[in-house]
């Protein structure tokens, strides 16, 4: 009742799972949170926006993220079923596009297998998600749910170049060179990449987030030198995982209770 009332009153609802808290797992928990938002009274569109448009707006990044529109970063989730009919369809992932790079279903399954193997050994480095994206890729024939709240649009072409969406339009209205890589998405649904606003990132999490369509996360506490390095590697495409925004070290009274916290005993410090 409280969540529904907050939504009705115009309070922005956003997803933030606190992954790697107890029983909170990267990627898995975000889809559970979407289902809980619908159970609490949000519509499926409102729940989807809580993981896409709303956090992008809150972060001041709506010009880059959060919707499927021309000029935005090419962070997309390609689904086998319509999430507006059943929000659990966000788990029916056919492929993920992050920074213009397509990760197929078989590659996503490999990511999950690798994540299982990497979760326990300490000091495991993140791996690259591959080389530069195709010069141009056309996602053809899918239904776009752009995240702005309007109805789904069928038979759409989403044209990608580098890490950007350069055109979104109905089939027949979007032209592209013969050398373009064409992906047939008939029967599929295209939604913005999902955003988790509260995580505590570890090196083994990248594959899990991507395999569940989470293309952007906000880290809420880590050693600033380490997390800034990992974030830069993600942006450069030399590591495999979501785009990472971060706040850096936590602040605590001395002695700090965690190794990435800084003890502060003087408010003027």
């Amino acid at each position: 009742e409280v969540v529904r009332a907050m939504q009705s009153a115009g309070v922005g609802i956003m997803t933030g799972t606190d992954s790697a808290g107890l029983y909170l797992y990267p990627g898995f928990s975000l889809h559970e949170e979407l289902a809980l938002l619908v159970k609490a009274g949000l519509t499926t569109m409102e729940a989807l926006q809580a993981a896409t448009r709303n956090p992008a707006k809150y972060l001041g990044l709506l010009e880059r993220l959060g919707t499927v529109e021309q000029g935005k970063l090419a962070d997309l989730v390609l689904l086998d079923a319509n999430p507006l009919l059943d929000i659990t369809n966000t788990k029916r992932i056919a492929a993920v596009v992050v920074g213009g790079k397509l990760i197929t279903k078989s590659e996503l399954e490999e990511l999950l297998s690798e994540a299982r193997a990497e979760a326990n050994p300490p000091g495991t480095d993140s791996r690259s998600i591959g080389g530069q994206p195709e010069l141009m890729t056309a996602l053809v024939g899918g239904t776009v749910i752009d995240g702005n709240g309007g109805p789904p649009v069928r038979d759409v072409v989403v044209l990608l170049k580098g890490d950007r969406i350069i055109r979104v339009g109905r089939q027949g209205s979007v032209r592209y060179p013969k050398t373009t890589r064409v992906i047939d998405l008939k029967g599929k649904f295209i939604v913005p990449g999902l955003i988790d606003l509260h995580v505590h990132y570890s090196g083994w999490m990248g594959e899990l987030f991507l395999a569940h369509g989470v293309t952007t996360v906000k880290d809420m506490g880590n050693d600033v030198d380490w997390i800034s390095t990992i974030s830069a590697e993600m942006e450069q495409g030399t590591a495999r995982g979501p785009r990472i925004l971060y706040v850096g070290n936590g602040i605590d009274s001395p002695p700090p209770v965690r190794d990435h916290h800084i003890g502060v005993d003087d408010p003027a410090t």
Side-chain angles (χ1 to χ4, degrees):
E1 292 181 5
V2 173
V3 173
R4 176 69 255 177
M6 291 172 66
Q7 175 73 27
S8 299
V11 176
I13 305 296
M14 300 176 288
T15 50
T17 63
D18 202 8
S19 297
L22 189 63
Y23 303 122
L24 298 170
Y25 303 104
F28 296 91
S29 294
L30 186 73
H31 293 281
E32 291 179 357
E33 188 166 323
L34 291 175
L36 288 171
L37 288 175
V38 172
K39 185 177 181 180
L42 271 63
T43 68
T44 50
M45 175 61 82
E46 289 168 344
L48 186 63
Q49 289 180 315
T52 55
R53 191 182 192 280
N54 293 358
K57 182 179 179 180
Y58 165 77
L59 293 167
L61 297 175
L62 192 53
E63 292 184 357
R64 300 178 60 207
L65 301 170
T67 61
V68 184
E69 295 180 274
Q70 182 174 325
K72 298 287 184 76
L73 285 167
D75 290 354
L76 307 167
V77 186
L78 315 182
L79 300 173
D80 286 323
N82 188 346
L84 299 185
L85 298 180
D86 184 342
I87 197 62
T88 64
N89 286 337
T90 58
K91 296 188 285 186
R92 297 182 60 181
I93 297 173
V96 173
V97 180
V98 57
K101 300 174 184 177
L102 179 72
I103 308 174
T104 64
K105 180 67 174 179
S106 61
E107 290 170 330
L108 293 173
E109 290 172 351
E110 289 178 13
L111 292 183
L112 285 174
S113 296
E114 291 172 11
R116 293 187 191 101
E118 294 176 5
N120 292 318
T124 303
D125 293 330
S126 296
R127 302 179 186 179
S128 170
I129 60 171
Q132 293 299 312
E134 298 286 333
L135 183 61
M136 196 173 291
T137 299
L139 308 177
V140 178
T143 297
V144 168
I145 302 171
D146 67 11
N148 284 314
V153 181
R154 297 180 178 179
D155 299 321
V156 171
V157 174
V158 180
L159 195 58
L160 314 178
K161 185 175 182 180
D163 66 349
R164 296 280 170 171
I165 300 169
I166 63 170
R167 188 78 189 276
V168 180
R170 289 291 185 94
Q171 280 189 265
S173 69
V174 178
R175 297 182 179 274
Y176 43 84
K178 292 182 179 180
T179 55
T180 300
R181 181 188 186 189
V182 177
I183 308 295
D184 182 6
L185 292 184
K186 185 177 181 179
K188 308 295 185 185
F189 295 81
I190 304 170
V191 302
L194 304 177
I195 301 172
D196 191 333
L197 275 184
H198 187 153
V199 310
H200 296 276
Y201 197 84
S202 293
W204 55 271
M205 293 182 177
E207 290 88 350
L208 282 174
F209 280 123
L210 289 183
H212 290 87
V214 180
T215 57
T216 300
V217 301
K218 183 177 181 181
D219 182 87
M220 297 300 289
N222 250 311
D223 177 78
V224 69
D225 293 330
W226 180 80
I227 195 64
S228 63
T229 298
I230 297 298
S231 175
E233 290 175 351
M234 299 301 184
E235 289 289 340
Q236 295 159 8
T238 58
R240 184 166 57 195
R243 185 170 287 102
I244 300 176
L245 310 172
Y246 58 91
V247 298
N249 299 86
I251 297 176
D252 203 349
S253 58
V257 296
R258 297 183 179 177
D259 56 5
H260 63 271
H261 285 192
I262 297 173
V264 176
D265 56 8
D266 183 353
T269 300

